[in-house]
């Protein structure tokens, strides 16, 4: 058995879960947030047989797309009398970060 851990952007999560379900693959969905951008993510836990890993990865690739966003960075602390104007910067968000790990034991109780 394999555990696929996929961190996906919140707006891609529902579409991905539905696509997995359509293929007969169940998942557990947990809300999470990114450390750098502090944006909402969803972590999907997907337990499958090794033969299904490629199918899971294909579904994730098809439903989790990278996109550009403009974000205004948080200004650093300024000294009195100094002024810092933050300009929006373009960053890439979305896509997915995926780990596939072997599972030694699995029980459904």
């Amino acid at each position: 058995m394999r555990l696929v851990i996929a961190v996906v952007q919140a707006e891609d999560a529902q579409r991905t879960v539905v696509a997995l379900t359509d293929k007969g693959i169940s998942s557990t969905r947990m809300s999470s947030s990114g450390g750098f951008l502090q944006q909402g993510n969803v972590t999907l836990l997907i337990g499958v047989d090794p033969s299904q890993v490629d199918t899971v990865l294909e579904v994730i690739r098809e439903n989790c797309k990278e996109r550009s966003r403009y974000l205004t960075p948080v200004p650093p602390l300024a000294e009195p009398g100094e002024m810092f104007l933050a300009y929006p910067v373009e960053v890439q968000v979305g896509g997915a970060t995926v780990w596939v790990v072997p599972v030694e034991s699995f029980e459904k109780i």
Side-chain angles (χ1 to χ4, degrees):
M1 176 154 247
R2 299 289 184 268
L3 175 62
V4 179
I5 304 166
V7 179
V8 303
Q9 191 172 21
E11 67 185 81
D12 295 330
Q14 185 62 29
R15 178 177 52 249
T16 304
V17 169
V18 168
L20 287 167
T21 302
D22 288 347
K23 297 222 182 247
I25 299 169
S26 61
S27 61
T28 298
R29 178 179 173 157
M30 299 185 306
S31 295
S32 53
S33 63
F36 176 64
L37 299 175
Q38 298 296 314
Q39 298 210 337
N41 294 324
V42 171
T43 300
L44 299 175
L45 302 177
I46 308 159
V48 293
D49 290 323
S51 63
Q52 294 177 295
V53 170
D54 288 339
T55 302
V56 170
L57 294 176
E58 178 184 322
V59 168
I60 293 169
R61 281 188 191 101
E62 290 173 356
N63 290 281
C64 300
K65 301 296 181 188
E66 196 172 75
R67 57 190 72 76
S68 295
R69 291 281 191 265
Y70 286 92
L71 300 173
T72 304
V74 177
L77 295 175
E79 295 293 322
E82 288 184 351
M83 195 167 129
F84 179 78
L85 296 176
Y87 293 98
V89 293
E90 184 178 16
V91 295
Q92 298 299 312
V93 297
T97 302
V98 181
W99 295 266
V100 178
V101 295
V103 175
E104 188 174 314
S105 175
F106 169 76
E107 292 183 40
K108 195 168 187 175
I109 301 174

